[in-house]
Structures are given as C-alpha cells and as structure tokens.
Amino acid sequence: MRQTRLALRKLPARKRPPLTLWQSVCISAILGLAALALCLGMEWMTRGSFTEVRSWMEGSRSIFFLNAMLTFFLLLLCYGVIGSLLPAMATAALLLSVGSLISYFKTRLIGEPFFPWDILLNQEGMNIAPLVTGSNAYIRIGVIILVVAGLVLLRVKLGRFAPSWWGRLGLVLVAAAGLVSFAFQSTWANRMLNQAGVAQIIWNQQENYGNNGFALAFTLNVKNSIITKPTGYGEQAIDSIAAKLTSSRGGMATAAADTAEPAGKLPHVIFVMSEAFWDPTLLPGVTFSEDPLPTIHRLQERYGASTMLTPQFGGGTSNVEFEVLTGFSTSFLPSGSVPYQQYISQPIPSLASFFESRGYRSLAVHSYEGWFWNRNNVYKWMGFEGFKSLSHFTEPEYKGAFIADSEVSRSIIREVEKSEEPVFIYAVTMQNHGPYNDDRYGQTDIAIDGDMTDEAKQIINTYTQGAKDADASLKMLIDYFEEKEEPAYIVFYGDHLPMLGYDYDVYRQTGFIGSPLTEEWSLEELRSMRSVPLVTWTNVPVKAELPATISSSFLGSFALKALGIEPVGQFALNAELYPSLPGLLRNLTIDSGDTLSGIVPEEASALVEDYRLLQYDMLFGNQYLAGKMDEDFLGRLALPAYNVMDAEQPALR
C-alpha cells in the first residue's frame, strides 16, 4: 500500500488513475467521521465545555446528526473545489472553527451569536480582536492551529487522494444542493427538520443556537437574512395608511401645511449619542465617592427622569442610530441584522433629510473611522450634507485610545458658529468604548466600593471615569448655548449599556441581574438591560415633555413634537403609536400604563402592523408613500455636494 502511494505521488497529476471504489468508500467514511468530530469541536467551542456538549447531545441526538450532515456537506464542497482530501478537510476545519470561535466570544460579550450577515462586517469584525484574551481563547486558537497543521502535514505524507474532474463537479453539486436546501428550507429539508424536532427561535438567537447547534442555526439563518414581503402589503394598504395619517393632521397634505414651525429664529437641533453611556450609580451595592453624572442628574431632577429603550446591549451602535435617524424599528428585521451594512444602498428618508427640507443644514459627527458600519455611504443616502469622521479631526484631544468626548462637543460648537443656517447635528462619541479592563485613564477622579472582585471594581472604575467625562461634555454644550443665548434643542442619550465583563459579570456580581442567560431574565431585568438615560435641554419653548420610557425608534417623532414641528411619513405614524405603546422591542413592549409584555398588546396590534407595512414599503417595497405625502422629504435624493468642501459653504473639517 505504501509503495502504491509513493508511485502515485511520482506520477504527473494528469496520469493519476481515478480513485477505486474501495478508496471512495474509505474517503466517504473518513469525511463522515471528520464531520462528526468537527461538529463536536464546534459545539465545544461555542458552548464552552464538553459537559454542556454532552448534555445537549443527550437531549437532541437527531439535531446533532443534522449538524453533522451540514458539516459533511461543507466537507464535500471543499473536497470538490480543492480536489485534495486533506487540504479540503483543513479548509473546512479552519472555516468552522473560526466561525465557532467568533460566535463563542460574541455571545459572551454582547449576547448574540455569529450570524451569516456578520460576514459582511469586514473590518468591523476586527473590533472584537482585542477582547479575545485569556486561557479560553488561547486553548481554542491552539486547538485550531494544531488540527489544521496536522492535516497539512498528513497531506505531505499521504498524498492528494484526488477525484476526477467529473467526480469533483459531482461533489460540488451534491454538497451545494444539500446546503442550499437547508438554507432555504426545501420540502425534503423541512421534513427532516420537523422529524428532528427543530424549532427556530428567531426572536431569541442565543437560545436558537443553543437548542439547534451552531451549524444548523447558522444555516437556517441564511433565509432570515432575506426580507420577504409581509402579508397584506400593496398600494391599497399604503393608501389606507397615508389616508389615516393625513386625516390625523386635519387633511393637510402639502409640505407647507405639514409643518408648524416654532416661532422666531429656528433652534439648532443637536442629537448626541454617547458611546455606551449609562448610569453606573444604578448598580446595587456600589458606592461612589462623588456623583459621576451631576449634569444628567440635574436635568433629570428638573425635567423628570426618562430612559430610552434600546434594541442593543454592549454593541451594535449603528442599529440604534438606524432607529433614531429613520424612525424604523429593527424589531421588524431579522434578529441580529445590521441595516447599515445590509439594507441601505439608496436614498432613505431620515431626520437628516427631513431637517434639510425645512431649511436646516444636516451634519453628522463621529470621532471614529468613517468606514465603520458603512457610515460614509449610509449618511449620504440619509440626506446628510456633511460627515466629519476621525480623519477630519485636526490634532484632537485623546483620552485613552479614542478621541475625547470633549473634542466632539467642541466640534459641534464650531459647526454651529460657522453656519448661517440652523443646523441639525447628529453626533456619536467614542471615548468610553469598551473593553474597560484596561488602565486607560491612570488615576481616576472617583473611588468606588462594594462587595465584588478587584477586577470588577477596576472595570467599573474605568467605565465610570468615561461616563463622568461624557457628562462633562454635555455640560460644555449647555454652557455654550446658555452663554451665547443661541436657540438650541439638545437630545443626549446612550446607545446601549456597557459590556462590563464576560457573561454580564459585573451586573451579576452587583445583583443588577441574576443570570448570565438572557432567556432566564424576567421582563423587568430585560427592561433594565435595555434602558439608557435620556435627557433633553433647551432654551426655547417646547410643546411636549419626555415620557418616562420611549423606544429609540420613536425618539425622532418625539423631538419633532416637542419642537412644534408636525411630523410626516414614518415619523407621523410613530407619533400616533408611541403615546399608547412607548416601548417596542422584539421581545418586550411597554404600554402607556407601564405594563410590560413579551408580545404586542392587542389594542396596539393594528397600528404596529401599519408600522411594519410602512417600513417595508420605504425600505424594500415600491415606496408608494413617497407619492402620497410630502414628496420633498420622502422622495428626497442624496445631496450632490455631500462632504464636498468649498469656500462658500465650508463643510465639516
């Protein structure tokens, strides 16, 4: 046998004899065993221990074998494409291992596994690299390296075991047919899924991956990345929605009648979304030597405490931006999707285009790379006139690895001072981005105490210093407008709670939540983990006060209402919805009586369904609404001079 292999290796590739039947059977058996081994390895990587893998397999044998089948199809695909057995196995092992590793750390960091659409994140994915430390990471990475290196060495020793070109084509077709059938859930694949007892839980992907396994849950999510037309969508449905919205405004359908502008000089409207901003004094049993958020607490005492319900935890900033700026809800999109990356590639009505249509200059400021979350392109499609990203800051102040929040406030002030028109500015900070287990500030201003580990104290200490600086940056803005007596309306909030250690460690140590498993949280705990501080400041009369709770998708509608500007389009529908249902997430709703539920209340279901249809029409459908209401806003194109600098109208620098 050894002499036969040596003889085969000496022959030119074109003269190699085809694989015999016995060799084909042996290779199939090897691939089958490799699929089982890789499936076990993937589950070990994603679940954290073999004990958990064994427990899952004992209750889900059929589902385990479906995962192994998908892994087998991938091995066949790699074998057909590469044409050499062991390199194909090494490639498949590398792909599956890296995907599993990403899913493991992504779940521990922000409670979400690895999705098919995460592949589109490209450079954004590298943001997780500094967080992948510790023995768990090193052991997993070491295993991946050993397995791949071992297979490569075996290839050198044993040869190619190459099928014919026709055989390779057959392998590719069979494998592709199998993978596509499960991804798009063909009749025969659905039959197997039902027989195995597979239940997709798209509203709770952590549980979905836990019950169904990494390979199967990942594959089934491919279909979820495709947006299907909702039942009832059509021009007649949008006609009906438009008629109801027009009627609610007293029949005023023109742009002039849609807007009841504030009297006097138009105020500057400034939204500041502060990175991971939250109130650390809410942690039970933790004491602080001084109030880290004096400005926030003063505004809360003056105007009433309010929180914004966010769809994210620990990351996914752009999804919160998407909700605030567009008035759309990620609750109607596939769980874990990233609209900035997946869905926005043409003009989309937003607060930026709305204010532009009302005589404002709409500007965006973010103290990080413009390519991140595809903002360079998305802000153009949203109708912003200019976007100042990290590369446009000149000799900025840094705190830690990122531009200081105070520098963002100074940038906002400069834009206000040099503009002859009122400005709408959407600013996103970066200073207090995690992780917080570093010593970025050295000596901090506030001492903390409580019954927790030293590591937890250090994490809270670093985070709290950043939160204090964010509070001070808000005070800088307020002080400027008070001194200049320049009319302004400021909205300040966080995008999500900070990721304070793996598996919600600090939150659990302090008793803020009881479990690291999101499916075990009560509705109150879920609310707490999705609520960030929301404050406003203004020196002009307002026509609405902040509700106690409001979802990020409704924030734009509220701001327009407070300013006395009649909302249109999706913002008009939101203005109808949020008074009765101020909180709307995928798995949590809060009604006007502060009643929590995991589903949409019956009394709000009709309006929520209108919301879903309208969002589909404007994002994916035929955009019927643009021809029925305020065309200047809804049908507005991207500005031709987006981010172009000239002497007449200086753009962001």
Side-chain angles (χ1 to χ4, degrees), residues 18 39 41 54 69 88 91 127 172 179 194 196 200 254-255 313 355 370 378 436 487 512 533 535 548 606 619 643:
C39 192
R54 185 175 67 251
M69 179 187 294
T91 301
N127 216 36
V172 169
L179 292 172
N194 292 332
Q200 291 191 69
T254 65
F313 170 84
F355 278 104
V378 169
Y436 309 101
F512 192 74
V535 295
L619 271 180
N643 248 5

Side-chain angles (χ1 to χ4, degrees), residues 12 58 170 227 258 272 286 310 328 355 359 366 393 423 484 535 566 569 630:
E58 287 173 354
I227 307 298
D258 281 338
V272 179
V286 181
T310 168
F328 298 141
F355 278 104
H366 182 36
F393 282 81
V423 294
K484 295 293 184 181
V535 295
E566 190 73 30
D630 192 3

Side-chain angles (χ1 to χ4, degrees), residues 325-623:
L325 283 168
T326 66
F328 298 141
S329 175
T330 56
S331 300
F332 304 141
L333 300 173
S335 177
S337 59
V338 183
Y340 273 24
Q341 293 282 351
Q342 295 171 256
Y343 309 131
I344 301 179
S345 57
Q346 60 185 357
I348 177 175
S350 73
L351 286 177
S353 55
F354 181 92
F355 278 104
E356 280 281 340
S357 72
R358 267 60 181 176
Y360 279 72
R361 294 183 63 217
S362 290
L363 309 171
V365 178
H366 182 36
S367 52
Y368 197 57
E369 300 286 359
W371 53 259
F372 204 78
W373 294 126
N374 196 30
R375 284 187 177 96
N376 276 333
N377 296 314
V378 169
Y379 285 161
K380 176 182 69 175
W381 295 128
M382 285 185 169
F384 279 100
E385 187 174 320
F387 172 33
K388 179 176 183 176
S389 60
L390 184 148
S391 60
H392 294 93
F393 282 81
T394 303
E395 297 181 357
E397 175 190 2
Y398 275 77
K399 286 202 172 180
F402 305 110
I403 290 177
D405 285 359
S406 56
E407 189 69 37
V408 175
S409 291
R410 283 190 285 270
S411 185
I412 293 170
I413 291 169
R414 284 194 291 270
E415 292 306 320
V416 169
E417 288 181 334
K418 72 184 182 183
S419 180
E420 295 181 2
E421 297 90 4
V423 294
F424 167 69
I425 295 179
Y426 193 87
V428 184
T429 70
M430 193 66 178
Q431 177 187 327
N432 212 20
H433 195 285
Y436 309 101
N437 57 352
D438 56 6
D439 190 27
R440 69 181 74 173
Y441 301 118
Q443 184 66 35
T444 55
D445 299 332
I446 300 175
I448 67 163
D449 197 16
D451 184 16
M452 68 194 83
T453 64
D454 289 342
E455 182 182 8
K457 286 182 181 179
Q458 192 275 323
I459 288 173
I460 298 175
N461 207 26
T462 298
Y463 175 78
T464 300
Q465 181 63 51
K468 180 185 177 184
D469 290 345
D471 183 272
S473 73
L474 172 60
K475 183 176 185 300
M476 180 189 297
L477 284 178
I478 294 173
D479 289 347
Y480 168 79
F481 287 109
E482 285 183 334
E483 179 184 347
K484 295 293 184 181
E485 298 183 351
E486 186 80 6
Y489 183 75
I490 300 173
V491 185
F492 185 94
Y493 54 96
D495 51 352
H496 51 69
L497 272 71
M499 192 278 293
L500 302 178
Y502 288 121
D503 296 329
Y504 311 101
D505 182 49
V506 171
Y507 296 105
R508 289 189 295 115
Q509 284 195 43
T510 58
F512 192 74
I513 57 172
S515 171
L517 303 176
T518 57
E519 60 266 27
E520 294 181 2
W521 292 352
S522 66
L523 290 177
E524 284 290 352
E525 286 180 314
L526 179 58
R527 176 187 193 168
S528 296
M529 296 297 282
R530 293 292 186 273
S531 295
V532 293
L534 168 64
V535 295
T536 61
W537 177 91
T538 185
N539 52 8
V540 300
V542 293
K543 298 187 177 182
E545 299 295 334
L546 273 173
T549 297
I550 189 168
S551 280
S552 52
S553 57
F554 300 147
L555 185 57
S557 292
F558 164 78
L560 296 178
K561 185 176 180 180
L563 288 167
I565 303 175
E566 190 73 30
V568 294
Q570 69 270 37
F571 299 112
L573 191 149
N574 290 353
E576 294 287 322
L577 178 57
Y578 84 73
S580 60
L581 194 71
L584 177 62
L585 296 182
R586 189 183 308 278
N587 51 357
L588 174 67
T589 62
I590 304 174
D591 67 14
S592 56
D594 205 42
T595 301
L596 276 61
S597 175
I599 59 174
V600 175
E602 181 63 30
E603 57 272 18
S605 59
L607 200 50
V608 169
E609 190 57 29
D610 284 350
Y611 188 12
R612 183 193 305 274
L613 293 175
L614 194 66
Q615 176 170 314
Y616 178 84
D617 178 63
M618 300 172 77
L619 271 180
F620 311 107
N622 296 323
Q623 300 177 345

